[in-house]
Each structure stands twice: as C-alpha cells, then as structure tokens.
C-alpha cells in the first residue's frame, strides 16, 4: 500500500494540471489513484511521469516518458469506458495499426500471470492536420491486457517513437523491469 | 532462425544482388516515400509507400510462373528483351494493375447481392476504388464508387443523426425533399462567393451537396441553420499549395483550407487548387474540408459568442481544432474516403497522444489549452517550454540511435556477406531520420520562441483580463457542451471506422530486411557469435 501512495504522490506532483480536470468530472479521484486502485507498480527510475484520463474521466492513464520511450498503464472497462471488455479493446482503434489488427508478439509475465503480448504501429512525426497525408511513419507499441477487479482491465504498454528498435535496448530493459513490479492488489505475486 | 535458414536467407540476398548488378537503376536506392507525378516510362517504384496492395504484389509475382521478380524494390521482367529494359515501367505496371483490378471488380460484382457488397468484401472495393479507380472502365468505377457509400446506422443519443442518414440522392421520398430543403436553407445562411475561376461555382455546389449527403454534415447543417449562424465561403489562395498525381489521381498536397473566425461572418476559404484535383478525390476531400471549416471552426465561434464565450477563449481552447478535425474525419469516413489520416487514428487511440503531437507540430497548437490548463495558462506554457527542450534531445536521440545502426549493418555486410542492397530500406530510414532531425530542431526552435513570447506577454499586467477570461470560459456551459460534442463525435467515428483500416499500408518489400528482421539477426548473432560484438562495431 505504501508503494501505491508513493506513486500517487509522485504523479500528483508531476502533473497537477491534468489531474484537476478529470477529478472534477467524475469523482474525487485522480487518474493515477484510479489506476492504482486496480494495479500497483513501481515507476521506471528517472522517467517523466504524467497522468490524465480519456472518455470524460472514465479511462484513466498513467504515462512515463524517457526520450523516445513511453510506458503506460491504461485502465478500461468501467462505466463510460470506451472499451467495456478486453475483446472490444483488441478489436478497436487503440489496439490497431491504423485500423489493422494488432500482431501477436509472444507472451510475457506480469502480476503473476502469463499474458499474450501484442504489437501495433502508431503514426508518428505527423504534419499539418489540415493537409491530406500519405502513409505516415510508424512507431512501435507492444502491450498486454491485464484483467483487474470488477470487470476492469489494465493495458500495460511500451511504445518507442521510432521505426527502429533501440540498439542498446534500454527501453526494452526498462519495460521488462517495469512488468516485474506490476501487481494486482490482494495477490501475492 | 536456424543456422541453415540464416544461410538460405543470405543466399536470397546474394541472388537478388546478382540480378541487380546488371542494371545501374537497380543500384539506386528504392523510393521510400510515395511517388508523386510518376512519368509513364519511368521505372515503377514498387516499394514506395502505397504503391502496391499486398495482394497485388503477390499477384504480380505469381504471373506467368514467376516472370516478374522483386529486385531492389522494383519489379524485374525475367523475359525482358534487354537488360536496360528489364525493370517494369509505370505504364506496364498500370496495365497489369488495371487488368487485376478489372478481374477483381468482376469477382466482387458477382458476389454482390442486390447491388450491395457483403461487409467483408467492401473494404477491398473501397481500396480498389481509391487506388485503381482510374485504371478500370467507367462502369467498373461506378460500381466501386457505390461501394464507398456509407451504410451508417443511426446512433442513439446523437441528436439529429437519424435525420441525417437519408441522403439527398433519395429524391423520390420525403427524405429527399427534406434533404433538398436542408441544402436550400443552408445556402440561404451562406454568402457564397466562389471566385473568378469558371469551375469554382460548380465545385462549391458539389462540395455543399456532398457535405449534406454525409449524416454528420446533414446533422450539423440542421444545427447551423437553426442557430442562425452565417458564413462566407470562397475558393482562395493557400500558401505553399500544389497538386500532385498519386495512384492515378491528381490530389492536393497542402492545407485544404482555413477559416478567419475573426471576420463577421467568418470567412471559410477552400484551397482553390481543389479545382485542379481528381473529381472523386475532390468529391470526398473538399466536402470533408468544408465540414471541418464551416461546421467546425466557423460554426463553433458563433455558438461560443452566442453563449457569451469570447473568441480568445475559443482560439486558445484545444477542443476547437479537435472538434473540427472530428467533423472532417466523420464526413470523410461517411463519404467513403480513404482513412489515411494519422492524426485521426491517434485521436481514436488516445486523444491525449493526438494533442501532445499537435503541441509540438506548429507554434499555434503549442499554445492551445485544455479546460484545466485554461485555469493556469502561464504555468502550462512554461511546462511546454521544458517539454520542447526534452523533445529537442529526443529528436537528436532518434537520429543518433538510427545512425548507430549503421555499425551493425556494416558488420553484416563485411563479416556475414549480406548484400548491401538488402539494407537499402533501413539505410533510407536512417538518412530520413537525420534530415528529419534537422527540420525538427528548427520547428522546435520556432515553437520555443513563440511560447516564450506568449509567456512574456501573458505575464504582463495587460494580460490579466485575458487570463481571467480563459479561466471563466473554462467552466462555462459552452465549454462543457463542447467537450460533450467531442466525446459524441469520437464515439460515432469509432463506430464508423470499426472493421476498416487505412488503405493501403506499406507491405514489407521482399529482398529488403526490415527493422524487426534485422533486430532478430543482431540478437541471434550476439548470442551465437559473442566474439563479433566484443569490440565496438
């Protein structure tokens, strides 16, 4: 529980502006508190933290950034969520490469479970939104879906804003270390 | 990959290199960007983004027992009369692709029921229409065009949507009459001054008619009329504009238009270069641009003023661009347009990611604010200056990490004997990253200077009223309703594009190593041959 408080305090300090809006639209809970209620984790050391929520506050997000690398925890499945179930998430735009289904990329362990790992591309380095665009350059995101309490689920993702992998693998290492810290409340894993 | 498979893999590249060495063009790196204005007799750049659908590539390579081979991102004819002409030209490729499109259209036509295609086949028809529509007969083109028309279902909770699903083509019934009335009433609210070009009047009529053919356009037209809003619409000059030919269609390569919201009534300008574009492209895209500008920016500023919200607040509110963007994307999708806009997919995946992308895209967007940020504008801009500084480092890091891959590439060429041409896609990505970083640094400098100027101005006593205005607007009923409109439009768009994808994605080029493959090759070599990696590459 102490870890949860640590995360909440760190995020509250890092991104007060984002949390204010969401907290007022739904209930007196910041996005990081909403995610922390479902899953605990240790933030990657030295990464910049941010939290916010989509779907009018129903879909809270915690994001950590370090250069081109981004690790996120996105909670879905609650009232007003854009995705009620993991299956709907997998079939939707958030899991897709511009509408194409995500690729299977093996499996990883998190929170004591073996989870399917998926891979998708996301548009990056985009130009003027008023100008028609051709096929954009794609960064790469890998993600897993972790079922949580009350029909909710948390999407854990590692994205790199580059078409090429990190040669030194620092982001990959941080992602691997991060997954090891993810725990579901009440489970000894 | 086993050792044997690795050897076979390398042999494939060596074979491709042998074919390539007979022709100087084969040694030129393949195009890594969409090819604009391709001359008929130039070599067909099969590896360029959007050049071929994956199934077209497979079809071409299977023709006549493999007469065509993929070499350095082009298609080589094994039975060419001379080595100088062994690469397929654009003209030859268009003939073949037209033949395949005609065959596929015949197949689709046979599988249509009551003139309608099953949903699982509609995607292929849409892709064929937008990519190969200029290569087939008029009859086939009309059949494919019909497949692009929307079959959207009404969504509960979205006001006016049901009224909007009946198109103006349905003239026989009451709905058609209603649609005609909507168009007539909308025109009465507009000062239409298309310009001197004799084509402009008809093109403006067409854009308006197509706009109200889309459910979103019809719904917003009703609201626009009911609210008493007005606008002036013209075709006009847009800076740095031009058109190019892509996939046989002349398309716009610039901003589609803009709106001067400070004029009374707001002035909506459609890029006059639309008049030179392909009719099918213009049918969808000019209507989407008009939707974005007219029912987005021009309408919103009038809704806001009516609600007592200042134009400054709308100008700095980030939802103004997002809401207009959503209108344009909806119209584009509803009229059966291609879904290639990366901003749209980012918004659907995570709106915050879309906003973050815009903030480092152009100086103006860097100053747009969420409702919470409107209550702390200076602190927000200060945090963005810090973010820009981090982005500068990230851009440099991106280029540097891409360049770092040159070492392993060199290793595989020199030590493992892999053909250099197999790495041409990766080398082009690396070169692009270096160029991109240079322009990115300049953009970030401009944004940083703009932000610092705003911070200075907003810290002055004269800006106290503006800051008070922004804070007040952030809690206004108008802004709350605006956020609700964003959510409703995003939800509708999500439903509309469900099961659809951007057409086309870039298939991997046979004979070219992808980043993923190369990463695996490096990992395997590090494991199998650690001595290779003990020294600096």
């Amino acid at each position: 529980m102490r870890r949860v408080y640590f995360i909440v305090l760190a995020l509250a300090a890092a991104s007060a502006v984002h949390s204010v809006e969401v907290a007022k639209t739904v209930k007196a809970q910041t996005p990081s508190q909403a995610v922390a209620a479902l899953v605990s984790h240790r933030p990657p050391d030295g990464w910049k933290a941010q939290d916010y929520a989509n779907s009018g506050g129903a879909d809270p997000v915690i994001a950590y950034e370090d250069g081109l690398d981004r690790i996120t925890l996105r909670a879905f499945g609650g009232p007003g969520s854009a995705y009620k179930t993991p299956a709907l998430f997998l079939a939707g735009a958030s899991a897709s490469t511009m509408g194409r289904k995500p690729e299977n990329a093996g499996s990883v362990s998190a929170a004591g479970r073996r989870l399917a790992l998926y891979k998708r591309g996301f548009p990056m380095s985009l130009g003027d939104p008023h100008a028609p665009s051709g096929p954009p350059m794609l960064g790469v995101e890998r993600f897993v879906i972790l079922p949580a309490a009350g029909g909710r689920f948390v999407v854990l993702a590692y994205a790199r804003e580059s078409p090429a992998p990190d040669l030194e693998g620092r982001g990959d290492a941080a992602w691997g270390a991060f997954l090891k810290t993810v725990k579901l409340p009440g489970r000894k894993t | 990959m086993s050792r044997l498979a690795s050897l076979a893999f390398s042999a494939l590249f060596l074979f491709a290199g042998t074919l390539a060495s007979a022709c100087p063009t084969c040694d030129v790196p393949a195009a890594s960007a969409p090819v604009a204005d391709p001359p008929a007799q130039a070599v067909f750049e099969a590896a360029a983004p959007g050049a071929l659908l994956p199934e077209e590539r497979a079809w071409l390579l299977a023709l006549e027992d493999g007469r065509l081979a993929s070499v350095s991102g082009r298609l080589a004819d094994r039975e060419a009369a001379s080595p100088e002409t062994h690469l397929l030209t654009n003209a030859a490729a268009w003939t073949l692709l037209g033949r395949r499109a005609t065959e596929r259209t015949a197949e689709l036509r046979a599988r249509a029921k009551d003139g309608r295609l099953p949903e699982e086949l509609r995607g292929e028809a849409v892709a064929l229409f937008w990519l190969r529509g200029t290569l087939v007969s008029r009859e086939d083109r009309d059949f494919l065009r019909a497949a692009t028309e929307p079959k959207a279902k009404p969504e509960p909770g979205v006001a006016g949507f049901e009224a909007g699903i009946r198109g103006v083509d349905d003239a026989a019934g009451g709905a058609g009459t209603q649609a005609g009335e909507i168009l007539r009433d909308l025109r009465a609210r507009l000062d239409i001054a298309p310009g001197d070009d004799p084509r402009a009047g008809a093109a403006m009529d067409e854009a308006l008619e197509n706009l109200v053919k889309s459910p979103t356009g019809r719904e917003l037209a009703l609201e626009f009329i009911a609210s008493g809003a007005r606008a002036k619409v013209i075709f006009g000059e847009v800076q740095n504009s031009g058109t190019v030919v892509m996939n046989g269609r002349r398309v716009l390569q610039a901003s589609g238009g803009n709106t001067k919201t400070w004029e009374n009534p707001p002035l909506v300008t459609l890029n006059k270069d639309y008049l030179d574009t392909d009719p099918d492209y213009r049918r969808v895209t000019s209507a989407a641009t008009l939707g974005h500008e007219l029912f987005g920016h021009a309408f919103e500023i009038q809704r806001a003023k009516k609600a007592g919200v200042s134009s400054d607040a709308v100008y700095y509110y980030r939802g103004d661009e997002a809401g207009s963007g959503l209108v344009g994307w909806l119209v584009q999708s509803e009229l059966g347009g291609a879904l290639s806009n990366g901003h749209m997919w980012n918004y659907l995946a995570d709106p915050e990611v879309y906003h973050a992308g815009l903030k480092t895209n152009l100086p103006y967007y860097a100053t747009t604010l969420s409702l919470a940020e409107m209550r702390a504008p200076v602190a927000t801009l200060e945090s963005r200056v810090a973010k820009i500084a981090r982005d500068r480092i990230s851009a440099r890091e991106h280029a540097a990490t891409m360049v770092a891959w040159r070492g392993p590439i060199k290793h595989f060429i020199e030590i493992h004997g892999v053909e250099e041409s197999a790495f041409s896609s990766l080398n082009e990505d690396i070169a692009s990253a270096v160029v991109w970083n240079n322009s990115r640094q300049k953009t970030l400098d401009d944004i940083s200077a703009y932000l610092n100027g705003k911070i200075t101005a907003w810290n002055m006593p004269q800006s106290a009223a503006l800051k008070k205005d922004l804070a007040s607007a952030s809690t206004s009923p108008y802004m709350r309703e605006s956020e609700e409109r964003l959510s409703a439009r995003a939800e509708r768009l999500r439903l509309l594009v469900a099961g659809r994808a951007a057409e086309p994605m870039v298939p991997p080029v046979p004979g070219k190593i992808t980043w993923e493959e190369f990463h695996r090759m490096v990992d395997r070599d590090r494991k199998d041959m650690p001595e290779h990696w003990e020294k600096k590459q």
Side-chain angles (χ1 to χ4, degrees):
Chain A
M1 202 59 190
R2 189 173 295 162
R3 177 175 291 161
V4 169
Y5 285 129
F6 169 74
I7 294 161
V8 169
L9 285 171
L11 283 161
S15 186
V17 168
H18 281 288
S19 51
V20 170
E21 184 171 38
V22 171
K24 283 187 177 172
T25 52
V26 180
K27 49 189 172 180
Q29 196 179 40
T30 65
S32 42
Q33 286 170 328
V35 173
L38 298 170
V39 64
S40 72
H41 70 285
R42 194 168 62 235
D45 287 341
W47 289 39
K48 183 89 178 161
Q50 181 196 19
D51 71 346
Y52 56 87
N54 291 312
S55 307
D59 294 330
V61 180
I62 300 176
Y64 300 102
E65 285 183 8
D66 181 41
L68 305 174
D69 298 312
R70 190 166 191 260
I71 288 175
T72 50
L73 302 95
R74 289 174 288 169
F76 297 99
S81 174
Y83 301 109
K84 297 286 182 205
T85 65
L88 288 173
F89 176 83
L90 272 178
S94 298
S96 78
T97 302
M98 296 177 76
R100 288 176 193 263
K101 287 179 184 170
E103 295 171 36
N104 292 317
S107 63
V108 292
S109 292
R113 299 179 184 198
R114 199 72 194 159
L115 301 169
L117 182 69
Y118 299 93
K119 197 180 87 171
R120 75 178 192 102
F122 62 91
M124 55 172 278
S125 305
L126 296 169
D128 181 350
H130 291 87
S133 59
M137 189 186 284
L138 297 176
V140 179
E141 180 180 272
R142 277 173 281 157
F143 64 91
V144 298
I145 300 175
L146 177 63
R152 309 284 300 272
F153 60 97
V154 180
V155 176
L156 310 169
Y158 163 53
R160 182 166 173 79
E161 199 163 351
S162 169
D166 178 4
L167 184 56
E168 295 181 11
R170 283 172 302 182
D172 281 315
W175 165 240
F178 163 79
L179 285 177
K180 285 182 184 153
T181 73
V182 173
K183 297 200 171 21
L184 291 167
R187 282 175 66 104
K188 290 182 181 177
T189 51
Chain B
M1 196 189 297
S2 71
R3 213 42 87 70
L4 195 62
S6 291
L7 282 172
F9 196 46
S10 300
L12 270 175
F13 292 120
L14 289 169
F15 174 63
T18 310
L19 272 176
S21 63
C23 167
T25 310
C26 292
D27 295 331
V28 178
S32 60
V35 180
D37 297 320
Q41 292 312 315
V43 169
F44 176 59
E45 294 289 353
L52 287 175
L53 293 165
E55 50 272 28
E56 286 177 328
R57 181 183 298 281
W59 182 84
L60 286 167
L61 295 177
L63 274 177
E64 297 180 40
D65 295 327
R67 175 172 173 164
L68 298 176
S70 179
V71 176
S72 302
R74 286 97 180 192
L75 294 169
D77 183 352
R78 295 182 198 278
E79 296 176 22
S82 69
E84 291 79 31
T85 59
H86 80 116
L87 293 178
L88 210 63
T89 62
N90 285 313
W94 294 335
T95 302
L96 290 171
L97 293 172
R99 192 178 110 197
R100 181 186 177 278
T102 301
E103 288 172 13
R104 287 305 307 156
T105 306
E107 170 70 17
L108 292 172
R109 200 191 293 277
R111 296 179 67 180
K113 288 171 188 162
D114 303 325
R116 289 273 185 190
L117 277 170
E119 200 53 35
E120 67 272 18
L121 296 178
R122 185 171 165 249
E124 182 183 357
V126 172
L128 280 176
F129 177 71
W130 287 114
L131 298 177
R132 306 297 168 227
T134 59
L135 302 178
V136 297
S137 69
R138 176 186 289 269
E139 235 183 357
D140 283 350
R141 189 160 55 248
D142 289 345
F143 170 77
L144 294 173
R145 185 188 289 110
T148 67
E149 287 169 7
K151 288 183 291 179
K153 291 174 188 164
E155 293 306 323
V158 183
F161 189 68
E162 193 168 0
I165 61 168
R166 297 184 287 270
V168 289
D169 284 346
D170 189 12
T177 310
Q178 186 203 25
E181 285 168 6
I182 291 172
L183 187 58
R184 186 196 63 206
D185 293 348
L186 176 63
R187 292 178 69 96
R189 308 299 311 163
L190 303 175
D191 174 4
I192 302 172
D196 298 334
D197 192 307
R199 301 168 297 173
M204 188 62 81
D205 285 347
E206 184 194 36
L208 283 165
E209 282 170 19
N210 286 321
L211 179 57
V212 298
K213 273 183 187 173
S214 82
T216 296
R218 285 169 59 84
E219 172 191 320
L220 288 170
L222 286 168
E223 290 182 30
F224 189 91
I225 295 160
S227 73
R230 302 194 64 87
K232 182 173 182 178
V233 289
I234 64 168
F235 274 106
E237 296 269 357
V238 166
Q239 280 189 330
N240 305 317
S241 179
T243 63
V244 293
V245 174
M246 305 280 269
N247 289 316
R249 299 182 188 280
R250 183 161 289 282
V251 302
L252 200 59
Q253 207 174 42
S255 171
N258 54 61
T259 301
K260 290 179 178 164
T261 52
W262 56 92
E263 296 207 0
N264 188 18
L267 174 63
V268 171
T269 301
L270 288 185
N271 189 333
K272 72 178 180 57
D273 285 340
Y274 265 128
L275 301 174
D276 296 326
T277 59
D278 169 87
D280 279 316
Y281 168 84
R282 188 175 61 232
R283 171 178 64 84
V284 171
T285 316
S286 70
T289 300
L290 188 58
H292 177 120
E293 301 297 338
L294 179 63
F295 294 152
H297 298 304
F299 188 17
E300 286 300 330
I301 193 70
Q302 292 174 86
R303 282 199 223 242
K305 280 181 182 169
K306 216 171 182 179
V309 170
S310 72
S311 53
D312 277 342
V314 175
Y315 181 80
Y316 288 112
Y317 169 50
R318 70 180 192 175
D320 189 53
E321 179 57 34
S324 304
L326 282 160
V327 172
W329 301 331
L330 280 163
V331 172
Q332 174 97 4
S333 307
E334 287 167 349
L335 293 179
L339 303 180
S340 59
N341 191 304
H343 291 290
M344 179 188 87
W345 289 107
N346 278 349
Y347 193 91
L348 289 176
D350 185 338
E352 283 298 331
V353 168
Y354 157 87
H355 286 298
L358 279 194
K359 280 172 203 159
T360 55
N361 179 303
L362 291 169
Y364 160 65
Y365 295 125
T367 60
T368 57
L369 305 162
S370 70
L371 297 187
E373 289 165 344
M374 286 166 87
R375 298 189 278 275
V378 175
T380 300
L381 296 200
E382 283 169 348
S383 75
R384 286 187 193 164
V385 172
K387 173 79 167 72
I388 295 293
R390 290 198 299 277
D391 282 357
R392 245 197 222 108
I393 295 167
S394 294
R396 276 199 289 269
E397 185 196 338
H398 172 56
T401 56
M402 294 287 274
V403 168
W405 279 94
R406 283 185 178 147
I409 288 173
K410 191 171 169 223
H411 170 87
F412 274 86
I413 292 167
E414 292 179 354
I415 308 297
H416 297 268
V418 178
E419 268 299 310
E420 191 172 354
S421 63
F423 293 105
S424 64
S425 294
L426 307 195
N427 278 324
E428 282 184 36
D429 279 353
I430 293 168
S432 299
V434 173
V435 172
W436 174 81
N437 174 47
N438 293 337
S439 68
R440 182 81 179 140
Q441 296 294 333
K442 169 78 174 68
T443 302
L444 294 173
D445 283 347
D446 292 347
I447 292 173
S448 189
Y450 190 75
L451 280 172
N452 281 316
K454 279 281 176 216
I455 291 167
T456 304
W458 285 1
N459 274 326
M460 289 177 155
Q462 298 94 309
S463 294
L466 171 68
K467 285 186 278 188
K468 195 176 168 190
D469 178 34
L470 292 177
S472 163
S474 73
T475 56
S476 66
Y478 166 78
M479 289 296 179
R480 193 184 63 241
E481 286 165 13
S482 187
E483 292 282 310
E484 286 168 3
R485 276 194 288 279
L486 288 177
S487 298
R489 287 172 189 169
E491 180 56 20
R492 182 191 294 185
L493 185 60
R494 230 174 247 124
L495 291 164
L496 262 174
V497 303
R500 288 186 64 191
E503 314 95 356
M505 297 300 287
V506 187
V509 184
K512 301 288 174 210
I513 295 170
T514 64
W515 283 111
E516 197 172 4
E517 285 164 349
F518 190 44
H519 202 208
R520 280 201 297 267
M521 286 162 70
V522 170
D523 278 352
R524 169 69 62 178
D525 198 48
R526 273 179 168 154
K527 195 174 167 189
D528 291 352
M529 305 277 185
E531 65 276 17
H532 284 181
W533 300 88
E534 281 165 9
K535 292 179 189 171
K536 197 180 173 192
Q537 296 305 311

